Amino acid sequence: MILVDNIRNGRFKTGMTDEAAEYTSSFDADKLLFEADIKTNFAHTSMLKHEGIIDSDIADNILCALDSLKEEGFDALVFDPSVEDVHMAIENYVTSKIGPQAGFMHTAKSRNDQVATDIRLVLRERIIGIQIGILEFMEGIVEMAGEHLNDVFIGFTHLQHAQPITIAHHLMAHVQALKRDYERLEDTYKRVNLNPLGSAAMATTSFPINRELTTKLLGFDSYLENSMDGVSARDFVAETVFDLTALCTTLSKICEELILWSTYEFGVIDMADEYSSTSSIMPQKKNPDVAELARGKSTIVNGELVTILTILKAIPYTYNRDLQEITPHLWNALKVTEDTLSIVTRMLLSVKFNTERCAELAGRNFATATDLADIMVREKQVPFRTAHKIVGRIVNEATSNNMVEEDITSDFIDDIAVDLGFDKLYLDDELIQKALNPTENVKIRRVVGGPAPEMVDLARDNIKVFLNEEFEKKGI
Ligand code: ARG
C-alpha cells in the first residue's frame, strides 16, 4: 500500500492534538456525502480530462480508482480524525491506489466548493423522496375521503362546536395543506439544484475549467454565478428545513386531532392496535403513543431550523468552518421528517371513523344554528344581525331548559322574537327542522370549497388530476 501524505505536512511540522482533530472533524455527518463526493470527483476529473487540464491517462487512473471505491463502499475508507473529512479520506483512498498522481484530482478544486456541491446532490434526492411520500399520503387521504362523502361530522372553531361538515371535507382540508407542503419543496428544489463546483476555494481558478460540463455531468439545472456565493450560500438548506418544518406542522396537526378524536370524550375514531400502546399498570389503556411521538418529534425539525438560521446569521463572506456545523442538523431534520411522514401516513390511513358518533356530534349543541338564522334572512327578509340575535337567544333559552334541536318550533321562535322586540316570523315548522338537520345543512353548502358531497367530490377530482401530473413528473 502506498503511504498517504497529510495536507498539513507542508505548512505545519506537527499534527493537531487528538482533541482538536476530533473536535473539528466532520466525518460522522460526511458519511451521507460519500456517494455524492465520488460523483463530484468523477465529474470534476472528467472535466479536467476533457479540457486537457490534466493528462488523460492520469485522469483515467483517478476515475478507475473512484470506480473501485464506489464498488467497495464507505468502509474501504481509512479514517481517523486527523483526516478531517470525507473529501480527504477519498483523496487518500485514490492515492493509496495510484500513488501521488492522485494529487491531480484536486486541481482547480477546493473542499469548499466540493462540500457545497455534495450537499446539494444529496439534498435534491431527499427532497424528491419526501415529495413522493407527500403525494402518496395525499392519494391515500383522497381515497379515504371518498368513503365518507356523506358522513356528517362536526367542525370546530376554538375547539367548540361550530358547524356541520363531513368527514370527507375535514380530511380534504389536510390534503390541501399537504399540497402546499409539496409545492414549497418543488419551488425550493429550483434553488437547490444549482452547481457551485468551479468556485474552488472562493475565487474560482486560473485553469480553464468548464463549468457547463460539470453542471451537465452532475445533472444540475445551472451553475451558481458568483464563486463567493457558491461556496458560502447555505440558504438553500435553511429554506429546505423551513419547508420540512411546515410539513411537520401539518403532520403534527393531524396527530393532535387523532389524539383528541381517539379519547373516550370524543369517541370519533378507533386507532389501529398496531399504532397504539398500553400501560404497564392500567390494563384497560389504549394510548395513541405513535401520534404523540410524531407530534413531539416534529418539534425537533423546528429546532433544527432555528439552529441552522442562527449558525448562518452574520457569517461574513466567504467559507467559514461554522458552515460545517449546519450539515448534521440538515440530516437530522430530513430523517425526522421522512420517518414522521411515513408513520403518520400509515397511522392515519388505518384509522376507523365512528360515523354514528360523528353524526351525533354534528346534530347536537346547536351546531346548525347558523342555518336557522339564514332561513330567517332568506324567507322573511330579516337582517342577518337581527336573526343572529334571535337565534342566539333561542339557543340560550333552549340550553337552559334542556331542549334539543327537535324541540324548536315556530311558536317558540316567535315568543323569543317578540320578547326581543321584533315581529313574529311565522316560519314553517318543517323548514325549521330542515335548517337544524346537519345532513340537510351540509347538502346545501354547495359553494366551491364547501362541504356538500358533490363539492368535496369535485375537490377530490381536482386533486386526482394534480396527483397524476406530479407522479408523472417524478417518474412514477
Ligand atoms: N468539512 C468541511 C465542511 O463540511 C468541508 C471542508 C472545508 N474545510 C476547510 N477547512 N476549508 O464544511
Side-chain angles (χ1 to χ4, degrees):
M1 204 213 243
I2 298 157
L3 270 182
V4 170
D5 206 10
N6 185 305
I7 50 163
R8 297 176 58 85
N9 294 350
R11 179 68 179 83
F12 303 118
K13 292 193 174 142
T14 167
M16 274 182 161
T17 65
D18 288 350
E19 188 190 22
E22 187 93 40
Y23 191 76
T24 53
S25 166
S26 60
F27 205 63
D28 273 348
D30 282 0
K31 270 180 202 157
L32 292 172
L33 295 176
F34 172 68
E35 280 167 28
D37 202 63
I38 294 178
K39 261 190 218 157
T40 300
N41 274 307
F42 210 93
H44 185 72
T45 307
S46 305
M47 180 276 292
L48 293 176
K49 175 184 166 184
H50 185 265
E51 301 303 314
I53 295 170
I54 63 171
D55 179 82
S56 171
D57 290 341
I58 294 176
D60 286 341
N61 290 340
I62 295 170
L63 295 175
C64 204
L66 288 170
D67 261 339
S68 61
L69 176 58
K70 201 166 134 192
E71 291 273 297
E72 284 183 61
F74 183 79
D75 292 337
L77 294 182
V78 177
F79 189 73
D80 67 77
S82 71
V83 178
E84 265 192 48
D85 53 34
V86 72
H87 321 295
M88 288 322 304
I90 290 179
E91 191 178 315
N92 289 351
Y93 172 92
V94 178
T95 309
S96 74
K97 292 276 166 194
I98 66 168
Q101 49 175 243
F104 282 106
M105 70 192 268
H106 211 64
T107 313
K109 172 165 73 66
S110 157
R111 287 178 297 165
N112 297 351
D113 61 345
Q114 203 170 332
V115 72
T117 308
D118 295 353
I119 294 171
R120 287 169 184 271
L121 287 176
V122 175
L123 187 53
R124 68 182 187 189
E125 297 306 319
R126 302 281 287 267
I127 287 178
I128 292 174
I130 291 171
Q131 283 188 295
I132 292 171
I134 298 174
L135 294 179
E136 286 168 351
F137 192 18
M138 289 169 69
E139 192 176 40
I141 305 178
V142 169
E143 202 179 310
M144 195 179 208
E147 290 157 24
H148 295 290
L149 283 172
N150 295 295
D151 293 330
V152 288
F153 184 29
I154 183 66
F156 299 87
T157 60
H158 313 267
L159 206 55
Q160 304 287 329
H161 285 197
Q163 291 174 322
I165 48 160
T166 62
I167 296 172
H169 192 52
H170 193 125
L171 288 171
M172 289 304 291
H174 288 308
V175 170
Q176 292 295 337
L178 287 165
K179 178 169 177 271
R180 287 190 297 278
D181 293 330
Y182 173 91
E183 287 168 338
R184 259 190 290 273
L185 284 165
E186 188 77 1
D187 202 58
T188 296
Y189 187 92
K190 290 186 233 154
R191 287 173 289 281
V192 171
N193 200 29
L194 298 172
N195 185 15
L197 196 63
S199 302
M202 49 83 74
T204 70
T205 171
S206 55
F207 288 101
I209 58 168
N210 182 343
R211 295 194 65 197
E212 281 88 0
L213 183 56
T214 55
T215 299
K216 193 163 154 243
L217 290 173
L218 292 169
F220 284 116
D221 293 329
S222 181
Y223 53 82
L224 287 156
E225 284 211 340
N226 181 296
S227 61
M228 294 174 68
D229 177 54
V231 289
S232 58
R234 294 290 186 279
D235 51 308
F236 69 96
V237 174
E239 187 181 346
T240 305
V241 177
F242 171 77
D243 297 349
L244 302 182
T245 306
L247 169 60
C248 282
T249 301
T250 306
L251 299 176
S252 72
K253 288 169 69 149
I254 292 173
C255 289
E256 171 68 8
E257 289 185 344
L258 294 183
I259 293 164
L260 278 175
W261 292 352
S262 65
T263 58
Y264 181 77
E265 288 73 12
F266 274 80
V268 162
I269 58 160
D270 197 12
M271 198 85 106
D273 290 357
E274 288 84 344
Y275 295 99
S276 308
S277 305
T278 188
S279 153
S280 59
I281 180 169
M282 299 168 282
Q284 85 286 6
K285 291 286 286 206
K286 181 173 179 182
N287 294 330
D289 287 30
V290 175
E292 288 170 285
L293 279 165
R295 185 178 58 180
K297 280 178 195 268
S298 51
T299 309
I300 294 169
V301 185
N302 295 26
E304 299 299 27
L305 175 63
V306 174
T307 304
I308 290 166
L309 288 171
T310 313
I311 294 172
L312 278 176
K313 182 184 171 290
I315 283 203
Y317 275 120
T318 57
Y319 180 86
N320 293 270
R321 197 70 182 273
D322 319 38
L323 296 178
Q324 176 175 299
E325 278 305 303
I326 287 180
T327 319
H329 295 286
L330 170 63
W331 298 156
N332 196 35
L334 286 165
K335 169 101 176 71
V336 171
T337 307
E338 288 160 351
D339 293 351
T340 306
L341 175 61
S342 164
I343 204 146
V344 173
T345 298
R346 284 173 234 279
M347 179 175 55
L348 175 64
L349 298 181
S350 63
V351 151
K352 295 270 167 289
F353 280 89
N354 179 348
T355 51
E356 271 174 36
R357 174 68 177 153
C358 291
E360 184 190 341
L361 290 174
R364 284 289 168 259
N365 207 9
F366 292 94
T368 46
T370 312
D371 254 50
L372 186 56
D374 283 352
I375 58 165
M376 294 178 184
V377 176
R378 230 180 349 251
E379 303 292 321
K380 305 292 172 186
Q381 286 74 49
V382 174
F384 182 77
R385 272 290 153 255
T386 306
H388 184 275
K389 191 170 181 182
I390 297 170
V391 176
R393 185 58 58 83
I394 290 168
V395 173
N396 185 300
E397 288 285 318
T399 46
S400 14
N401 291 298
N402 288 329
M403 292 164 73
V404 294
E405 285 78 352
E406 287 80 350
D407 301 324
I408 308 299
T409 60
S410 182
D411 290 344
F412 179 70
I413 292 173
D414 285 348
D415 285 351
I416 285 173
V418 170
D419 213 39
L420 289 172
F422 301 113
D423 292 339
K424 287 187 178 198
L425 296 167
Y426 301 109
L427 281 167
D428 183 61
D429 275 324
E430 218 174 291
L431 202 65
I432 294 168
Q433 281 314 309
K434 207 171 162 193
L436 291 172
N437 179 297
T439 307
E440 295 300 327
N441 216 282
V442 158
K443 262 198 218 156
I444 56 174
R445 288 179 149 65
R446 265 185 233 101
V447 178
V448 274
E454 67 265 40
M455 296 324 291
V456 177
D457 215 21
L458 183 70
R460 287 177 68 241
D461 287 345
N462 291 339
I463 291 287
K464 282 183 202 164
V465 172
F466 171 82
L467 288 173
N468 281 339
E469 283 170 6
E470 297 307 311
F471 272 130
E472 203 176 305
K473 272 198 225 162
K474 304 287 171 223
I476 289 175

